[in-house]
Amino acid sequence: MAFSADEIERYARHIVLHDVGGPGQQKLKAAKVLVIGAGGLGAPALLYLAAAGVGRLIVVDDDAVSLSNLQRQVIHRTADIGRPKTDSAKEAVEALNPHVEVETHAVRLTPANALDLISRADVVLDGSDNFATRYLVSDACVLAKKTLVTAALGTFDATLTTISAHETGPDGTPNPTYRCLFPEPPPPGTVAPCAEAGVLGALAGIAGSMAALEAIRAIVGFGEGLVGKLLMMDARSMRFETLSYGWDEDNPLTGTGARITDLSAHEKAA
């Protein structure tokens, strides 16, 4: 894929970067990334993926911009209040980098549309804010054999991991699924939503930007990413810790007695 003179100048700092270079930048240009949620995590992730030159961004969000979003959802502006988040996100991405195509879906991700939307992408970045969507996305990505970068925000804490369960590790062992790390979601009501508990806005920027970095890594293929590792961020103490986790042979998706073969359980729950 040839670059225009504008693209060569725009991506110059990547092109001279040894582990990215021209070939890596071409991979980015050819890539399609699905970003679920244009909120606290998705907003910075979309901006950095666009700036990096990902060729096509697919944005899924059924919400509208509200004033309380602007404390952390930096892709939206005050004038966007009341607009669909997909519209303002698309406008911001195209203003930042006109070489990026933006496909928008102003819908909620559901068991009925998840596999179709996920099949459109090479890499999925989940910035959703609820456990039902998080488990739906992670199960669907395993079934569709897509790499998933998934992040979650707390009040002063955040987590990030990459799931590539359709691939194996260096020793031939299957890579873990999200359910190898967290077998089941917590009971309803045990984790307060950010509207009740609050969230530190700048932390969303850090976690969302690192999620974009993981997606870029998955596309280009440099360094050592977060497959089989959970990165935990503590903003109170400015501490970052990494927990390693592995394939669980009892996990219901890829274990020896796998029992999740479609999204019907999510349909019943919905």
Side-chain angles (χ1 to χ4, degrees), residues 111 262-270:
D262 55 33
L263 300 179
S264 58
H266 294 278
E267 291 173 358
K268 292 175 184 176

Side-chain angles (χ1 to χ4, degrees), residues 164-176 227 245-249 254:
S164 192
H166 57 290
E167 298 177 340
T168 59
D171 62 354
T173 302
N175 285 336
V227 174
Y245 64 98
W247 175 68
D248 179 2
E249 64 178 12
T254 62

Side-chain angles (χ1 to χ4, degrees), residues 6-159:
D6 178 81
E7 288 175 296
I8 291 172
E9 182 174 357
R10 180 182 291 270
Y11 307 131
R13 300 302 184 272
H14 272 178
I15 292 170
V16 299
L17 195 60
H18 181 267
D19 287 342
V20 179
Q25 194 61 48
Q26 287 185 331
K27 290 179 181 178
L28 289 169
K29 183 174 181 178
K32 299 180 289 295
V33 177
L34 169 63
V35 178
I36 300 167
L41 295 165
L46 282 164
L47 291 173
Y48 273 106
L49 291 171
V54 171
R56 189 174 188 83
L57 292 173
I58 307 163
V59 188
V60 175
D61 197 308
D62 69 338
D63 201 5
V65 180
S66 65
L67 183 58
S68 63
N69 296 153
L70 303 183
Q71 167 253 14
R72 64 201 177 282
Q73 300 181 19
V74 293
I75 204 167
H76 312 297
R77 300 291 179 261
T78 301
D80 294 320
I81 292 171
R83 298 179 67 197
K85 288 183 180 178
T86 48
D87 288 357
S88 55
K90 176 182 173 70
E91 191 173 281
V93 165
E94 291 175 341
L96 176 62
N97 190 347
H99 301 287
V100 176
E101 295 180 28
V102 185
E103 176 185 333
T104 60
H105 298 269
V107 299
R108 178 174 291 273
L109 195 87
T110 67
N113 64 22
L115 289 174
D116 174 61
L117 290 168
I118 286 169
S119 69
R120 300 166 186 252
D122 304 307
V123 176
V124 177
L125 191 156
D126 182 16
S128 61
D129 61 359
N130 64 87
F131 289 104
T133 302
R134 203 168 293 147
Y135 277 81
L136 169 61
V137 172
S138 61
D139 288 353
C141 283
V142 173
L143 296 175
K145 299 184 177 180
K146 301 290 184 178
T147 296
L148 167 66
V149 178
T150 180
L153 280 176
T155 51
F156 286 87
D157 58 283
T159 58

